[in-house]
Amino acid sequence: MRSFSDADGDGVGDLLGITARLPYLADLGIDAVWLTPFYLSPQVDHGYDVADYRQVDPLFGTLEDFDAMSAAAHDLGIKVIIDIVPNHSSSAHEWFDAALTAGRGSPERARYVFRDGRGEGGDEPPNNWRSVFGGAAWTRVEDGQWYLHLFEESQPDFDWDNLEVGDEFESILRFWLDRGVDGFRIDVAHGMFKAEGLPDVGGLDAGGGTLDVVMADWNRPYWDQPRLHEVYRRWHEVLAEYDGDKMAIGEAWVGSAAAMARYVRADELQQVFNFHWLDAPWSAQAFADVIGETFAAVGPVGASPTWVLSNHDVTRPVTRYGGGELGLGRSRAAMLAMLALPGSAYIYAGEELGLPQVDVPADARQDPTWLRGGGVGRDGCRVPMPWSGHLPPFGFGPDGTHPWLPQPEGFASLTVEAQSADPASTLAFFRAALTRRRELLSTLSQDLEMLDRGPGVLAFRRRGVADGAGLACVLNCGETDHRVSDLGAPLMLSGPPIDAAGKLRPSAAAWFGA
Ligand code: GLC
């Protein structure tokens, strides 16, 4: 939301900016957009601290701008998925204000997790939990009680045992469904409920760790609690009341594919992010294991898998895979393999340009993770998109715009404009791969057969439906060329052409008819 396109030149992306760029997205070949939170918010966690779930923050525009964006997207055949943040609100939410004013023991306070402290005078926090962003997960208020915030201290956790909270979120879902949204991305979907008695966490180190690591530590008594599933069953029913195949996808960083599958049982969420693909190291075996475990997990519950390499919380894949040409080649190859798999593929803005992680100067960093001492933070993957031109703001906003995070000079060669003119660019690769994928979609079976082509090589095949042609995908994670001449001419390549001897280079992937 903040980093895509800025129409009014205040340095922060907005709804009008998105509307103006919808033709670009349609041309890219996507089916849906997911917008990070645009609700009224003090922006301490860049919108994930919501003060009013039914209002658009003036930073991003108005409710009318949202409706116009949504209508324009729908006209182009693009669905709109919005982010819902049910684990916590902002401390600027009127409920939290009321909780502070009404005092201990009040029904207003019971909407959040307030507790008395431990030790003499209750001076110690109620337990040893740490914030995902670093530092303590408890903050003390004037009358001596403490409130829980698994994230920033201005993000108090709701108490989901309080039925009022569930009713409020049902009403929020309906508010946006009535406005025509197609689905929801559920923030911290494995949070919300906390284990009975809020027990201390054993073996907790003092550091925050990176978000993906902390969020996936499933032994913590605030993740993946069984009562969550009652909420998702209720939400399933709400979505089912609306026409048009509404959906919800959970951001559930759970420890195993099997745990993930519980969120997508037939009467719960439609999808859950499969972060195991994103977490896999550059290894054919690791990718194969994730594929195997994913299908073993979602198959029995009848859910379709999802695949993701990147989002606004993790290091950009180009950098994760080694940076430079190597990292870019690998990220394109991993993407091509991902796009060949049955299920839904999620792409993070800028991934289609091959943007690397940016080393944002320390004095420009804004992520609460950094500000709370929890590590370098996530700003490096959130630097505003380069669209055109040779200098910042690279078309992100009108000339003279100062993007909320500084763009590096190196973005000049990565702009949409520059890449559109180059048939070998990462953008051209994405456009071609997404077009091919769409053409092949209805012709391929959902089943997957793994092929053994030796160590270092991930290979699989999807059969064609009704005796039609299938698709084989080969990803070379090894150190040496891999001969693919037996597979015929490639349909798609992630990188350099296959050489005359029919060999696929290391760190490249290809599709073949099969
Ligand atoms: C999710 C979001 C992240 C946010 C956090 C707290 O992990 O993706 O950006 O900071 O939740 O809401």
Side-chain angles (χ1 to χ4, degrees):
M1 187 70 228
R2 300 175 68 86
S3 299
F4 191 63
S5 179
D6 173 17
D8 64 7
D10 65 357
V12 177
D14 46 39
L15 289 162
L16 288 179
I18 295 177
T19 307
R21 301 289 189 184
L22 285 171
Y24 164 79
L25 293 174
D27 189 43
L28 194 58
I30 59 159
D31 302 305
V33 284
W34 147 35
L35 306 182
T36 55
F38 49 81
Y39 318 107
L40 193 70
S41 160
Q43 301 291 320
V44 174
D45 188 20
H46 299 128
Y48 286 97
D49 47 323
V50 181
D52 186 334
Y53 291 84
R54 296 177 184 83
Q55 271 194 64
V56 172
D57 197 291
L59 193 59
F60 302 122
T62 63
L63 212 44
E64 289 69 38
D65 294 339
F66 175 81
D67 289 340
M69 185 280 305
S70 175
H74 287 152
D75 283 347
L76 289 167
I78 297 174
K79 298 202 182 224
V80 177
I81 297 173
I82 63 170
D83 218 311
I84 191 92
V85 189
N87 181 69
H88 46 263
S89 70
S90 161
S91 52
H93 192 287
E94 63 173 20
W95 274 16
F96 195 71
D97 237 20
L100 292 183
T101 318
R104 43 173 74 227
S106 63
E108 286 84 354
R109 208 163 263 205
R111 293 159 171 162
Y112 294 92
V113 185
F114 278 87
R115 293 289 184 277
D116 290 327
R118 296 199 283 207
E120 206 177 315
D123 290 347
E124 302 289 321
N127 67 24
N128 72 347
W129 296 0
R130 315 278 306 172
S131 153
V132 170
F133 295 150
W138 295 91
T139 291
R140 202 168 194 193
V141 300
E142 253 177 37
D143 60 24
Q145 277 208 308
W146 300 74
Y147 69 88
L148 175 68
H149 50 87
L150 290 181
F151 294 87
E152 225 275 335
E153 69 182 66
S154 67
Q155 292 169 294
D157 281 47
F158 286 115
D159 185 347
W160 272 83
D161 287 319
N162 183 335
L163 299 182
E164 213 186 333
V165 174
D167 290 346
E168 173 65 1
F169 271 91
E170 175 172 337
S171 153
I172 293 165
L173 291 185
R174 289 185 188 280
F175 176 86
W176 291 103
L177 287 165
D178 290 340
R179 293 200 97 80
V181 304
D182 301 288
F184 300 94
R185 176 262 190 192
I186 304 165
D187 188 63
V188 199
H190 62 315
M192 291 142 79
F193 286 90
K194 280 78 194 177
E196 193 78 43
L198 311 182
D200 277 347
V201 182
L204 198 62
D205 58 26
T210 58
L211 180 134
D212 53 331
V213 173
V214 180
M215 298 268 273
D217 186 347
W218 62 333
N219 287 320
R220 300 194 182 188
Y222 37 82
W223 299 145
D224 200 26
Q225 299 295 305
R227 281 166 298 166
L228 277 171
H229 298 287
E230 290 162 29
V231 173
Y232 297 139
R233 284 194 272 275
R234 177 173 180 185
W235 290 9
H236 184 100
E237 283 175 24
V238 173
L239 295 179
E241 278 177 37
Y242 288 78
D243 291 335
D245 208 15
K246 306 294 182 194
M247 61 82 76
I249 174 161
E251 185 214 13
W253 296 85
V254 287
S256 68
M260 186 182 86
R262 287 199 288 271
Y263 292 76
V264 284
R265 285 176 286 198
D267 57 351
E268 297 196 29
L269 304 179
Q270 283 68 27
Q271 295 189 337
V272 64
F273 279 111
N274 182 8
F275 293 120
H276 304 285
W277 182 258
L278 176 158
D279 280 334
W282 183 254
S283 141
Q285 190 56 51
F287 285 127
D289 289 347
V290 172
I291 292 173
E293 284 160 20
T294 301
F295 281 99
V298 298
V301 291
S304 91
T306 65
W307 310 99
V308 58
L309 276 174
S310 182
N311 66 28
H312 62 292
D313 292 326
V314 300
T315 303
R316 291 260 187 200
V318 171
T319 305
R320 253 180 16 233
Y321 288 139
E325 284 305 308
L326 176 74
L328 182 62
R330 288 184 171 179
S331 64
R332 282 167 59 153
M335 176 56 65
L336 194 63
M338 162 174 146
L339 292 176
L341 291 164
S344 297
Y346 284 79
I347 298 170
Y348 173 45
E351 201 174 353
E352 79 278 21
L353 303 179
L355 297 187
Q357 189 79 357
V358 176
D359 187 11
V360 177
D363 60 357
R365 290 181 199 153
Q366 302 201 21
D367 183 356
T369 314
W370 165 255
L371 301 174
R372 287 175 66 84
V376 66
R378 302 159 293 176
D379 295 311
C381 66
R382 297 175 172 186
V383 174
M385 285 268 289
W387 292 91
S388 56
H390 302 284
L391 292 170
F394 297 113
F396 167 67
D399 285 349
T401 300
H402 294 287
W404 68 282
L405 288 171
Q407 297 161 307
E409 281 171 17
F411 269 16
S413 59
L414 296 172
T415 63
V416 170
E417 184 180 49
Q419 296 202 38
S420 294
D422 175 5
S425 69
T426 300
L427 179 58
F429 158 73
F430 265 81
R431 284 188 176 136
L434 290 172
T435 306
R436 254 297 151 77
R437 183 177 192 266
R438 189 184 287 268
E439 287 163 5
L440 290 170
L441 205 61
S442 58
T443 70
L444 296 176
S445 130
Q446 296 302 302
D447 296 332
L448 198 73
E449 184 191 342
M450 300 306 285
L451 306 173
D452 183 2
R453 297 186 64 90
V457 177
L458 174 81
F460 57 84
R461 173 165 57 200
R462 290 171 67 182
R463 289 190 187 286
V465 289
D467 297 332
L471 178 73
C473 176
V474 180
L475 169 66
N476 187 359
C477 296
E479 299 288 321
T480 54
D481 292 348
H482 174 70
R483 187 179 293 279
V484 285
S485 43
D486 56 312
L487 295 170
L491 300 176
M492 259 309 298
L493 281 166
S494 68
I498 288 174
D499 71 11
K503 289 179 185 156
L504 182 67
R505 300 260 174 82
S507 303
W511 291 356
F512 302 89

